[in-house]
Amino acid sequence: MRKLLQWRSSVRQPQNETLLLSSPLPLFIFRFLSHSPMVQEADDIYDPPFSPARTQTLELPKPIPKIARKKNKNRSPPKSSSPQNESAAAAKLPVKSDLPFDFMYSYSENNPRIEPIGFREKKFSPFGPGRLDRKWTGTRAPVEKPADLDKLAAERNRILGHPLSDEEISDLVEKYRHNDCSRQINLGRGGVTHNTLSDIHNHWKKAEAVRIKCSGVPTLDMDNICFHLQEKSGGQIIYRHLNILLLYRGRNYDPENRPQIPLMLWKPLAPIYPKLVKNIADGLSFEQTKEMRNRGLNSQPLMKLTRNGVYVNVVEKVRSAFETEEVVRLDCAHVGVNDCKKIGVKLRDLVPCVPLLFKDEQIILWRGNGVVEDAIETAKESPCN
């Protein structure tokens, strides 16, 4: 007790209290002077100096040792890429397909009757080197042996079976025609491509029909799309409304015996075709061609096309417009230069008409001379329309 009293008496009072009582300075000046090193002593126990920074590094916790797993004797060893497995995989190449038609990137958008005048790349096969038993010519891989058409027709009729009744068709349509259908394939500007055939057969493994939604340039000719879908896949179109199709696989379809379709590994570059628009249109002089182009640019557009839209009614509207007008303009803003040219090519063959100009995403079409007008009349009288 005595030692404790001696220790308390040895501790002197801090100078802050004496300065606070005796100093007439303002409060903020007093606080500044009281915290300065000149006022405080180094051995003041109530305000010790700052401690130096810690230089010791933190020790990381030691990792927990992993528990050794017990070896399962019944577990099969992992498969290693042995030379025998590689040789077995290589023995399956090249792939041999029995499909009776030439392989192309797009069946609905390529016209085999028009030969290209040049290529933008070397004739590398898009199926991969040594992966197909057919030779790639730059636009197609032709079949080596001609197929027996009668045998193919009989095989297709066997797979389709007897025709569906109206009740069966209505049940399938109600099941697959809605937008929330999971069995759907989207056809874009490429149309019916080669890999689309493989997608169709993949859907047919678990579904009787597949819903196909078309958009873009191919919708100008839906008859062409239906023809290639039925011919290349072997199915049957049971429903068609604008750009929506339902493709039925057949009663006797067997997924285990589906045709072997080799996949294209990349999209080949489009070849170079002859010029679409001539400087002087056939049947007109240079001055008349120039006058037709200026008249078309200054006229009101017949309709405005959107990017990747549905162009089902474009051909009929252009035909009806040519009954009263000689030149028609289509506004294709934001559609794209390539799609504008594809639209002009299809309208040239379907209407038919003569493309005069592609400028600033505007298409100028001329109905042509009397020969073209006669073709329009025959197209109207055809049973397909």
Side-chain angles (χ1 to χ4, degrees):
M1 190 66 180
R2 186 178 298 175
K3 292 181 179 181
L4 180 61
L5 293 174
Q6 290 177 0
W7 174 79
R8 294 186 65 181
S9 61
S10 64
V11 176
R12 63 178 183 273
Q13 296 293 333
Q15 297 182 5
N16 294 344
E17 296 180 1
T18 58
L19 289 174
L20 181 61
L21 296 174
S22 61
S23 176
L25 297 176
L27 182 59
F28 71 94
I29 299 177
F30 168 74
R31 289 180 178 176
F32 174 76
L33 295 176
S34 63
H35 288 77
S36 63
M38 297 175 62
V39 177
Q40 293 180 344
E41 295 181 359
D43 56 351
D44 192 353
I45 62 173
Y46 293 100
D47 194 7
F50 293 103
S51 60
R54 295 181 61 183
T55 58
Q56 298 180 358
T57 59
L58 296 177
E59 296 182 358
L60 298 177
K62 295 182 180 180
I64 301 174
K66 296 182 179 180
I67 301 174
R69 297 181 180 178
K70 294 182 180 180
K71 295 184 179 180
N72 188 3
K73 297 181 180 180
N74 298 328
R75 186 178 180 183
S76 60
K79 296 181 180 180
S80 60
S81 58
S82 60
Q84 297 179 356
N85 296 336
E86 294 179 357
S87 61
K92 298 180 181 179
L93 298 177
V95 178
K96 296 182 180 179
S97 180
D98 297 332
L99 294 175
F101 51 84
D102 299 346
F103 291 165
M104 305 170 64
Y105 172 73
S106 177
Y107 297 104
S108 61
E109 303 307 304
N110 291 344
N111 190 354
R113 294 176 297 179
I114 301 177
E115 293 294 333
I117 59 177
F119 297 93
R120 293 183 171 89
E121 62 179 359
K122 294 184 179 180
K123 298 179 181 179
F124 294 116
S125 175
F127 298 94
R131 296 177 60 88
L132 189 64
D133 61 340
R134 301 185 183 185
K135 185 178 179 181
W136 182 256
T137 62
T139 56
R140 66 180 68 88
V143 62
E144 295 180 355
K145 298 180 181 179
D148 188 359
L149 299 181
D150 296 335
K151 183 178 179 180
L152 292 175
E155 179 66 16
R156 181 184 177 186
N157 294 332
R158 184 192 67 82
I159 295 175
L160 291 177
H162 58 273
L164 296 173
S165 62
D166 296 339
E167 296 180 357
E168 292 174 335
I169 292 177
S170 61
D171 293 340
L172 290 175
V173 169
E174 184 63 26
K175 184 178 180 181
Y176 294 104
R177 72 179 178 86
H178 299 286
N179 293 329
D180 57 351
C181 177
S182 60
R183 303 298 173 183
Q184 175 175 310
I185 296 176
N186 297 323
L187 291 187
R189 64 182 62 179
V192 183
T193 60
H194 180 77
N195 291 348
T196 303
L197 305 179
S198 179
D199 296 338
I200 291 173
H201 286 280
N202 291 338
H203 282 289
W204 279 350
K205 287 182 180 180
K206 300 181 180 180
E208 294 181 279
V210 59
R211 183 177 189 264
I212 300 176
K213 183 179 180 180
C214 309
S215 61
V217 181
T219 57
L220 286 169
D221 192 2
M222 292 298 297
D223 295 335
N224 186 35
I225 292 179
C226 295
F227 169 76
H228 285 288
L229 284 175
Q230 293 184 137
E231 183 188 18
K232 302 301 188 296
S233 66
Q236 182 182 5
I237 300 292
I238 59 175
Y239 175 78
R240 173 180 172 181
H241 177 68
L242 296 180
N243 63 324
I244 305 298
L245 305 174
L246 289 185
L247 187 62
Y248 177 62
R249 67 181 184 180
R251 293 183 182 272
N252 303 323
Y253 178 81
D254 186 8
E256 301 296 332
N257 297 327
R258 56 174 285 183
Q260 188 173 10
I261 303 175
L263 296 178
M264 275 193 178
L265 303 183
W266 66 83
K267 177 183 177 180
L269 293 179
I272 303 173
Y273 288 98
K275 193 174 180 180
L276 178 60
V277 179
K278 299 180 180 180
N279 294 332
I280 302 175
D282 296 336
L284 297 176
S285 63
F286 177 77
E287 297 296 334
Q288 292 175 342
T289 304
K290 186 176 180 180
E291 181 185 357
M292 289 290 182
R293 290 171 179 170
N294 293 333
R295 189 194 306 177
L297 289 174
N298 297 327
S299 62
Q300 293 294 328
L302 176 64
M303 58 189 307
K304 184 175 182 180
L305 304 181
T306 58
R307 187 178 183 87
N308 290 332
V310 180
Y311 311 142
V312 177
N313 301 324
V314 174
V315 176
E316 293 296 332
K317 289 185 178 181
V318 172
R319 285 177 181 171
S320 60
F322 278 152
E323 295 179 358
T324 56
E325 300 291 336
E326 192 175 6
V327 182
V328 170
R329 177 167 74 96
L330 298 179
D331 187 2
C332 301
H334 311 293
V335 172
V337 178
N338 293 333
D339 287 356
C340 282
K341 293 182 179 180
K342 292 179 181 179
I343 291 172
V345 171
K346 281 191 171 291
L347 292 178
R348 179 193 63 182
D349 300 332
L350 295 174
V351 173
C353 57
V354 179
L356 289 180
L357 184 63
F358 295 92
K359 183 179 180 181
D360 298 333
E361 296 184 347
Q362 306 293 317
I363 303 177
I364 308 301
L365 302 175
W366 174 49
R367 66 180 181 182
N369 49 22
V371 176
V372 178
E373 293 177 357
D374 295 340
I376 295 176
E377 296 296 332
T378 56
K380 289 182 179 180
E381 297 175 358
S382 62
C384 298
N385 299 319

